Amino acid sequence: MLDFFSIATKGGLVLWSKAYGPAQSSPINNLIQDILIEERSSTQIYYKDNYAIKWSFVNDLDLIFIAVYPKSLGLTYIDTLLQAASSQFSDRYGDRILRKSGGVPQLKDWGVQFEALLQTIEDQDALSKKTKQPRKFEQTVGYSNSLAYAKAKPEDIKDTNKPALVDEDEFLRNIELLKKKSASPRIGIRKGRGTKSLAASPVIGSDDSKKKTKEGRKWDGKISAKDAKSLDYSNSDATDVVNADHLVDQSKLGQHGKDGTYNVADLEASDEDESYSDDESEEEYTKISARSLQAKKPAAASSGLMSFFKNMTGQKEMTAESLEPIMSKMKEHLINKNVAADIAQHLCDSVAKGLVGQSLGSFKSVQAHVKQSMETALKRILTPKTSVDLLRDIAQAQAENRPYTIVFIGVNGVGKSTNLSKTAFWLLQNNLKVLIAACDTFRSGAVEQLRVHARNLKALEQNAVVDLYEKGYGKDSASIAKEAISSAKLTGHDVVLIDTAGRMQDNDPLMRALAKLVTVNNPDKIIFVGEALVGNEAVDQLTKFNAALKDYSGLANPRHIDGMILTKFDTIDDKVGAALSMTYTTGQPILFVGTGQTYTDLKNMKVSHVVASLLRE
């Protein structure tokens, strides 16, 4: 039974709706937030709680038809209903909607028409589901053969001149199959035992056949006691004075706002990133238009000329066939920009689905229209949907008299500890007291690395309060994090930054340990640190990290990744596809991007810069 049906504009104005069950508007709100805004409309169906939602676009009228029904029923006529309803509604009210002068059309009679349409489709579906009565045994071939054998005499069955009681064609096919099977050679079976093995065959070149053993490395000298002492940081005092001139780039420091807050500088973009051409060459578009016209042979030269002219003007309506070569080219372009292949496919399908049926503007090319729609979609995806103002969240935690906790997670070698220290520097610039929890108890040198960072950060400013909470190696990271949070509350620290061990997404024991740390301590933010160099791997990493946090938490409402820091962003030029892949996979924003080795190399990502880089040829 259908629960809900709605007709709305893409701008969000509901023209008509009808409820048949307890479903409210929440499933449709989820559809808008999770599917339409995130450009995931290429999917055929969307499940939310106990409901299944299907939809259909009428792009020339900017309308969307939505049907909601219980997913347990699995109604098979929903696609037919959406197609028929959109067709009838467009025929009846399309002209008035396109004119836009008469306002919203009155849909008093549409309810009656829709009820009749729904009843007709449901009756046809029920009629088609009626199971056919099985044939009686007397009507089958098996009954006829059995009857013939029962009536036949024994000598008649053996006599080959008598009529065959089985299908003669099937019998001949079986004989032919047996002949082919017997005639085929039996590959892989040796005849006799005298065959020499490969190991017994003579070896050509006796010198090459000799095994070469790896020689051990010889050390010419030993490390002196003085050098060993200079390399040992395990007993260094965190209060030692160090030369911190090389730790920050003064020219790249952010600015202090009027309210005194220290803002991270924006990622600088080149002039090419700020503007790019939406126009394609006339020659390129002529080739695309010619390919789209090959399937339709004109009756005369004049009709072919008019058809081509329609392709160039607003009389041309975009179809799936005309969009296919351009979307294929766009997909290849996005993949070359390091966007994951599956995401590039889903994104292109979603954009194409929103363009089918639209009419082009006068002398506007299809490729320029596709590029403009793709730009809108990319901006919509990359623009944060949740708050990225960490300072406001920290102030709220201070009002509750508790420290604000952030956990940094990710795979091995992406730069979690380094970017944790950069985040600590930004927090110190905003006069916040920071406690770093050394919960990477697995990697050798991880605690010493954080100790050096804490010492350097203290040396940058005299009044900076940044401390390290450590318990050594081989300990339970969840317990250390819990103790660090309790200690921060007693010592008056404002923020606790929890460092974790790097782990691959397929390492089940380590993923369980990470889920335990999150479940036990319930941090305010879970930040995934990822590389800008990865492509398809980014999707796999984020998907499995989120799945582990959910599957191993044991909670009814498990946590998930809240944001991301994208490292090594200065090494990829314009191949910024990882930013799109990560945001599209999680729906969460990129908080910062890392661009260097100093503490000031933490930048705000500009959406316009990333979009321009993705679309630039």
Side-chain angles (χ1 to χ4, degrees), residues 91-103:
D91 294 341
R92 186 164 184 174
Y93 302 103
D95 292 338
R96 275 186 277 177
I97 293 176
L98 288 175
R99 286 199 300 268
K100 298 181 180 179
S101 57

Side-chain angles (χ1 to χ4, degrees), residues 106-120:
Q106 298 296 323
L107 305 178
K108 296 180 180 180
D109 299 335
W110 171 249
V112 178
Q113 183 175 350
F114 180 79
E115 291 292 342
L117 175 64
L118 177 61
Q119 187 63 43
T120 301

Side-chain angles (χ1 to χ4, degrees), residues 205-244:
S206 58
D207 294 338
D208 296 336
S209 62
K210 295 180 180 179
K211 295 184 178 180
K212 296 182 179 180
T213 58
K214 184 178 179 180
E215 297 180 358
R217 178 175 295 179
K218 297 180 179 179
W219 297 93
D220 296 332
K222 297 182 179 180
I223 299 177
S224 63
K226 181 179 179 181
D227 294 335
K229 184 177 180 181
S230 63
L231 295 173
D232 184 12
Y233 293 96
S234 58
N235 297 320
S236 298
D237 188 1
T239 60
D240 292 345
V241 178
V242 297
N243 182 11

